[in-house]
Amino acid sequence: MTKKIYTAGLIIIGDEILSGRTHDKNIAQVASWLQVQGIRLDEVRVVADVEERIVEAVNALRARNDYLFTTGGIGPTHDDITVDAIAAALGVGVIIHPEARAILERYYSDKGGLNEGRLRMARVPEGAELIPNRKSGAPGIKIGNLFLMAGVPHITAGMLDALTGTLEGGEPLLSETIGCWVAESEVAELLREAEQGHENCQIGSYPFFRGGKVGANFVIRSTHADDLQSCADTLCDGLSVAGYDFTPGGI
Amino acid sequence: MTKKIYTAGLIIIGDEILSGRTHDKNIAQVASWLQVQGIRLDEVRVVADVEERIVEAVNALRARNDYLFTTGGIGPTHDDITVDAIAAALGVGVIIHPEARAILERYYSDKGGLNEGRLRMARVPEGAELIPNRKSGAPGIKIGNLFLMAGVPHITAGMLDALTGTLEGGEPLLSETIGCWVAESEVAELLREAEQGHENCQIGSYPFFRGGKVGANFVIRSTHADDLQSCADTLCDGLSVAGYDFTPGGI
């Protein structure tokens, strides 16, 4: 029986990533979080703070995925245009969310109160719900299968934490890693054969150089535990026969 | 006079980034390198090791940019399919590049010689040239305005180094950073006004939390040095009048 595979897209919104000024940390943390939810990250796009570019990416990725996440552009300043872009992509208006406004009023009550910039963070596409933000005032935004999160990584992490367990996912993708002090080019044929012999498995080969030595981790991925084990056994047998030591769990 | 703005797209190819297993380092290093070449990074896509997805991303981004870079998928194993995908996108065949083969023969002469996997790294789309790789054997590949680079960051760095100064670029994008221990939501209006008053400038606001204190760096970007300075002066004057200390160069 074929199981449904749940997928997600991710859009990183921000000139600061494209300029190289800020090193993105959200791709890795969203990807790892999705794995645990049984959802596969299908594609990531990094786009500038330009409405038409955000709209294009949103429409492309939401059409082909069960879920779509964005990070960045939901703050108080003029370059924070994610809410407007998402509303435009969905063809809905932008409203002040009363609960978000109340949250911000409380949060800023001892910090000078609400002003025009801060009130921007209560704006949501019409029909949206809020994603709790336990780290700072402004909440994230959920509308349909879209999740709009902050760009600052530790705030993003808090929003992901609030969403944990709330999304329908499929079978988690299982993996086994086998590390080997070998140039991957010496065992390319072995890897190809092991993968071809197990149609539910994919093998990735990730080479590295450490302490002047060449090695690689071979990562086998499958939603089927039995096939995964069989593929790992085949690969380990092949490495043994070829005379290589290997390290289950990876190096 | 309007100056031509040169742009580039970047495609990160690899399941290991989408699974969260590997933290991408290439977006930031390619972005920073492009800035120095006077080329603006317009969009990044991270796609899986699946030919049709690579082809789709390549065709979308090469049509709208002066240059297109890829990282990943040019190694010796079965999951390295970038060359085939690029050839398919361009509608050309794949050939063994004689110079690449010679490089690999030399490189592997004391490492067991060429085998089927290693020879894969001499395969290029028909019509391609090589990008020198000073760190390991296999070269990168240049075809038209496409640049296929390794996924391992220090090898990517070597290939970028080899390309330095060889690409036509425009005026470098200049920037000035002003740091301030202020919640960005307190000065959102100031930022918006400074940007609106200088049509050749963009201001990004990048908040942070450090040592329990809230602050932000305001980055003004422009290809026009005079406008940049004028915009920075306007912003600094505004911050002063509002009673905030600021740090030229950023915090």
Side-chain angles (χ1 to χ4, degrees):
Chain A
M1 199 183 90
T2 307
K3 295 165 180 168
K4 171 163 170 60
I5 297 189
Y6 289 79
T7 67
L10 170 63
I11 303 174
I12 308 283
I13 298 165
D15 291 342
E16 71 276 24
I17 308 292
L18 292 172
S19 72
R21 184 177 190 284
T22 301
H23 289 222
D24 168 72
K25 290 177 180 160
N26 283 327
I27 294 175
Q29 81 166 343
V30 172
S32 302
W33 180 85
L34 285 170
Q35 287 270 16
V36 178
Q37 316 304 311
I39 299 166
R40 200 170 295 185
L41 182 55
D42 182 70
E43 182 172 335
V44 182
R45 296 191 185 181
V46 186
V47 300
D49 301 317
V50 174
E51 182 168 308
E52 62 183 305
R53 302 304 294 274
I54 301 171
V55 169
E56 179 197 347
V58 165
N59 283 335
L61 295 193
R62 80 190 179 96
R64 61 161 68 144
N65 290 290
D66 298 295
Y67 304 103
L68 178 58
F69 294 79
T70 71
T71 65
I74 60 168
T77 56
H78 64 285
D79 56 339
D80 291 305
I81 61 168
T82 298
V83 166
D84 301 271
I86 298 283
L90 299 179
V92 301
V94 173
I95 60 160
I96 298 279
H97 193 290
E99 189 185 337
R101 184 185 180 124
I103 290 168
L104 292 167
E105 274 170 352
R106 275 197 304 279
Y107 184 79
Y108 287 111
S109 62
D110 58 354
K111 301 179 185 69
L114 274 189
N115 60 22
E116 193 184 339
R118 289 167 173 174
L119 190 57
R120 275 180 69 81
M121 296 188 283
R123 297 168 75 249
V124 303
E126 202 164 356
E129 301 165 47
L130 304 181
I131 302 172
N133 168 6
R134 295 164 189 152
K135 309 274 173 148
S136 60
I141 297 163
K142 171 187 185 316
I143 178 162
N145 63 345
L146 273 68
F147 300 83
L148 283 55
M149 302 187 296
V152 178
H154 81 278
I155 302 181
T156 321
M159 292 179 178
L160 288 172
D161 193 47
L163 291 172
T164 295
T166 67
L167 275 60
E168 185 174 5
E171 300 289 318
L173 191 63
L174 308 171
S175 72
E176 284 281 344
T177 301
I178 296 157
C180 194
W181 290 104
V182 64
E184 58 171 358
S185 57
E186 292 186 21
V187 295
E189 188 60 17
L190 256 178
L191 297 170
R192 199 182 57 74
E193 283 172 4
E195 187 183 82
Q196 284 191 339
H198 297 84
E199 64 173 334
N200 291 314
C201 298
Q202 288 182 306
I203 307 180
S205 172
Y206 308 117
F208 56 79
F209 302 85
R210 274 182 226 156
K213 285 168 68 189
V214 169
N217 283 305
F218 308 122
V219 180
I220 311 168
R221 298 188 184 93
S222 179
T223 54
H224 298 67
D226 292 350
D227 294 346
L228 182 68
Q229 192 56 53
S230 167
C231 186
D233 291 345
T234 300
L235 182 56
C236 290
D237 290 349
L239 291 170
S240 281
V241 168
Y244 299 109
D245 287 333
F246 55 85
T247 306
I251 297 170
Chain B
M1 200 185 87
T2 307
K3 295 166 182 169
K4 171 162 169 60
I5 297 193
Y6 289 79
T7 67
L10 170 62
I11 303 175
I12 307 283
I13 298 164
D15 292 342
E16 72 274 23
I17 308 292
L18 292 172
S19 73
R21 184 176 190 284
T22 301
H23 290 222
D24 168 72
K25 291 178 180 159
N26 283 326
I27 295 175
Q29 81 166 343
V30 172
S32 302
W33 180 85
L34 284 170
Q35 288 270 16
V36 178
Q37 316 305 311
I39 298 166
R40 199 169 297 184
L41 181 55
D42 182 70
E43 182 173 334
V44 181
R45 297 192 186 181
V46 186
V47 299
D49 300 317
V50 174
E51 182 169 308
E52 64 184 302
R53 303 304 294 276
I54 302 171
V55 168
E56 179 197 346
V58 165
N59 283 334
L61 296 193
R62 79 190 180 97
R64 61 162 69 141
N65 290 290
D66 298 295
Y67 304 103
L68 177 59
F69 294 79
T70 70
T71 64
I74 62 168
T77 57
H78 64 284
D79 56 338
D80 291 305
I81 61 168
T82 299
V83 166
D84 302 270
I86 298 283
L90 299 179
V92 301
V94 172
I95 60 160
I96 298 278
H97 193 292
E99 191 184 336
R101 185 186 179 123
I103 290 169
L104 292 167
E105 273 170 353
R106 276 198 302 279
Y107 184 77
Y108 287 112
S109 63
D110 59 353
K111 300 179 185 71
L114 274 188
N115 60 22
E116 194 183 338
R118 288 167 173 173
L119 190 56
R120 276 179 68 81
M121 296 189 285
R123 298 167 76 248
V124 303
E126 203 164 355
E129 301 164 48
L130 305 181
I131 302 171
N133 168 6
R134 294 164 190 152
K135 309 274 173 151
S136 60
I141 298 163
K142 171 186 185 316
I143 178 161
N145 64 344
L146 273 67
F147 300 83
L148 285 54
M149 302 188 296
V152 178
H154 80 278
I155 302 180
T156 321
M159 292 178 178
L160 288 172
D161 192 47
L163 291 171
T164 296
T166 67
L167 275 59
E168 186 173 4
E171 299 289 318
L173 191 63
L174 308 172
S175 73
E176 282 282 342
T177 301
I178 297 157
C180 194
W181 291 104
V182 65
E184 59 171 358
S185 58
E186 292 187 22
V187 295
E189 188 61 19
L190 254 178
L191 296 171
R192 199 181 57 73
E193 283 173 3
E195 187 185 82
Q196 284 190 339
H198 297 84
E199 63 174 334
N200 291 314
C201 297
Q202 287 182 307
I203 306 180
S205 172
Y206 308 116
F208 57 80
F209 303 86
R210 273 182 227 156
K213 284 169 69 188
V214 169
N217 282 306
F218 309 122
V219 180
I220 311 168
R221 298 188 184 91
S222 178
T223 54
H224 298 66
D226 292 349
D227 294 345
L228 182 68
Q229 192 56 52
S230 167
C231 186
D233 291 345
T234 300
L235 182 55
C236 290
D237 289 349
L239 291 169
S240 281
V241 169
Y244 298 109
D245 286 333
F246 55 85
T247 307
I251 297 171

